[in-house]
Amino acid sequence: MTRRGGKVDSAPRELIDHLFAISRVMAGKLDFRSAIQAVATEVAQIVPHDHLDVCIVRGDGRFHTAYESGIQTEWSKSLDPVEQSPIRNLLEGEVDHILSYDACNDARFCAEKPGHRPIFDHGLRSRIHVPMVVHGEVIGALSCSLCSQGAYGPIDVRNARYIADLLSPYFFALRAAEQARLASVVEAEAKAREEGLRLGALKLTEALEGERQRIGMDLHDQTLADLTRLVRRLERLALSGPVSADALKPVVRGFHACMEDLRQIIEEAQPSVLQLFGFAHAVENQLERSIRDSGQAIDWQISGDSRAAFDGLDPKVSIALFRIVQEAINNAVQHAEPKRIVVRLDKGRDHVGIAVIDDGKGTSDRRIRRGSGIENMKTRARLISARFALQDDPGGRGTKVTIVLPVRGGTETASDGKAAAE
């Protein structure tokens, strides 16, 4: 057995012992990071290094992740495209290894490319990269680096291959286990989402049925009763002979009142202002009317410069959002006794957001917190895949309702929002 500069120079007993040691320390390691940390010391006995990493190609072959030991770089902090990797040729099978005398002065590496930058930032001059192959597929690469230049040669490449061949089935199994775990998580989330939508639809159906009953009672107890009285009055007038204009004036006023009542019921059932003038104007109209009808002295404001983003939403989703805001405003006006209500409309890169903020007495009353109105808001948000939150001010003064809707390319991602808006 001979050594060259502290490295194993041949492959008999000592090399085999180190390879066996790598196998032993790998046993029981269930994640990539603990695995690479566990083998680093034994790998250093065969191929000395200041930086060691195993780069694993993800299932789609387009991205890879590095797991490091020794010097920590940006490589292990993100999922990077294979096409931008400094070892792309190796991962795509175009070369069978990469050996660099001085990577900081090697034309194959460029300091201007983000994927190459850690080489130069950490002075990783001597570098070896060998593929990790299972069933003829390159699943990743083993990389060893030293900060001194010219430290590696053909024997080191051979020894790195031994290590890579040994580690490949372990890391292949870890990758398969991770993919299975992620698949199970995705499946569980899909089932939970489906169940949430089902329960949400049931709750909303109950709420809509309650709304229909309320409208029916309003029509029966108020409008229909008023119309019945007016018709009977007209019948009496008809039987009494010629009718003067003064005698008809109370009847006309009564019909106008019935029309106003019907207009109110229709407006509550279908927000025509929203359809005619847009989301922000409908919210403004709701604020003004709710506060006026309450008789309270409440200041109000609509803020944010993203009003147009809401008008580009699918109408069904827009109505669902409006219903949530409508309920939040009504809750604040009716229960919170606020001095001020602010509605904020925001747009991010991949979402639109709404916040309804009041400075009232909060929701410490458990009856309010458990009320059907808040449950309806949660249900409507869930059915359009929006996030809903209700928070009290820590000081006990005020409540904030937030709704965040993911969007893609200016169009809402939630195509399942039909039931929420009907």
Side-chain angles (χ1 to χ4, degrees), residues 242-262:
V243 181
S244 67
D246 288 340
L248 287 174
K249 284 181 180 178
V251 178
V252 172
R253 285 197 299 270
F255 275 114
H256 278 297
C258 286
M259 291 169 62
E260 183 61 31
D261 290 339
L262 283 172

Side-chain angles (χ1 to χ4, degrees), residues 275-306:
Q275 297 165 346
L276 293 174
F277 300 105
F279 190 88
H281 192 90
V283 171
E284 182 176 338
N285 181 71
Q286 179 66 37
L287 267 168
E288 188 174 23
R289 189 175 61 185
S290 295
I291 293 171
R292 181 193 65 220
D293 293 347
S294 74
Q296 302 177 62
I298 302 174
D299 291 331
W300 59 270
Q301 178 187 2
I302 296 182
S303 66
D305 56 358
S306 305

Side-chain angles (χ1 to χ4, degrees), residues 109-152:
F109 307 114
C110 176
E112 302 304 317
K113 296 181 179 179
H116 298 218
R117 189 68 224 170
I119 295 172
F120 300 86
D121 289 343
H122 300 279
L124 304 178
R125 297 182 177 276
S126 296
R127 290 176 63 76
I128 299 174
H129 309 275
V130 292
M132 299 174 69
V133 181
V134 176
H135 301 311
E137 174 195 358
V138 177
I139 67 159
L142 172 71
S143 301
C144 299
S145 302
L146 282 166
C147 294
S148 56
Q149 64 182 20
Y152 295 137

Side-chain angles (χ1 to χ4, degrees), residues 28-280:
K29 297 298 181 291
L30 301 179
D31 65 273
F32 294 110
R33 285 185 174 81
S34 64
I36 191 68
Q37 294 295 331
V39 303
T41 300
E42 290 298 333
V43 170
Q45 299 300 313
I46 304 173
V47 181
H49 55 267
D50 296 316
H51 173 268
L52 172 71
D53 76 67
V54 169
C55 170
I56 298 296
V57 177
R58 314 317 293 179
D60 59 5
R62 296 172 52 206
F63 296 90
H64 65 79
T65 304
Y67 301 93
E68 301 176 301
S69 176
I71 296 172
Q72 297 297 302
T73 76
E74 292 296 318
W75 284 321
S76 62
K77 297 179 181 178
S78 62
L79 189 66
D80 298 313
V82 169
E83 65 179 15
Q84 297 177 15
S85 172
I87 57 170
R88 178 189 63 80
N89 292 344
L90 183 74
L91 295 174
E92 294 182 349
E94 297 175 7
V95 297
D96 64 356
H97 75 279
I98 297 174
L99 174 62
S100 182
Y101 178 87
D102 181 1
C104 295
N105 291 288
D106 190 323
R108 291 172 293 185
F109 307 114
C110 176
E112 302 304 317
K113 296 181 179 179
H116 298 218
R117 189 68 224 170
I119 295 172
F120 300 86
D121 289 343
H122 300 279
L124 304 178
R125 297 182 177 276
S126 296
R127 290 176 63 76
I128 299 174
H129 309 275
V130 292
M132 299 174 69
V133 181
V134 176
H135 301 311
E137 174 195 358
V138 177
I139 67 159
L142 172 71
S143 301
C144 299
S145 302
L146 282 166
C147 294
S148 56
Q149 64 182 20
Y152 295 137
I155 293 176
D156 300 292
V157 173
R158 182 203 65 187
N159 290 341
R161 288 188 191 279
Y162 290 149
I163 299 168
D165 290 344
L166 179 62
L167 294 180
S168 293
Y170 286 100
F171 280 86
F172 178 78
L174 289 176
R175 188 182 74 166
E178 182 183 71
Q179 289 172 340
R181 181 183 62 80
L182 291 175
S184 66
V185 168
V186 170
E187 182 180 0
E189 288 178 347
K191 287 182 178 179
R193 189 160 50 248
E194 181 179 345
E195 180 65 10
L197 288 172
R198 186 185 70 82
L199 293 175
L202 287 174
K203 288 182 179 179
L204 192 60
T205 299
E206 294 174 359
L208 290 172
E209 183 58 33
E211 184 72 2
R212 290 188 187 99
Q213 292 176 6
R214 184 192 66 77
I215 292 172
M217 287 188 291
D218 286 349
L219 289 171
H220 178 272
D221 297 342
Q222 182 175 325
T223 308
L224 185 59
D226 290 342
L227 286 172
T228 301
R229 285 194 297 271
L230 290 171
V231 168
R232 288 175 179 171
R233 185 165 186 173
L234 283 173
E235 289 174 346
R236 288 195 299 270
L237 289 173
L239 293 174
S240 66
V243 181
S244 67
D246 288 340
L248 287 174
K249 284 181 180 178
V251 178
V252 172
R253 285 197 299 270
F255 275 114
H256 278 297
C258 286
M259 291 169 62
E260 183 61 31
D261 290 339
L262 283 172
R263 187 177 292 111
Q264 179 80 8
I265 292 171
I266 291 169
E267 179 64 25
E268 291 179 358
Q270 181 176 348
S272 57
V273 176
L274 172 65
Q275 297 165 346
L276 293 174
F277 300 105
F279 190 88

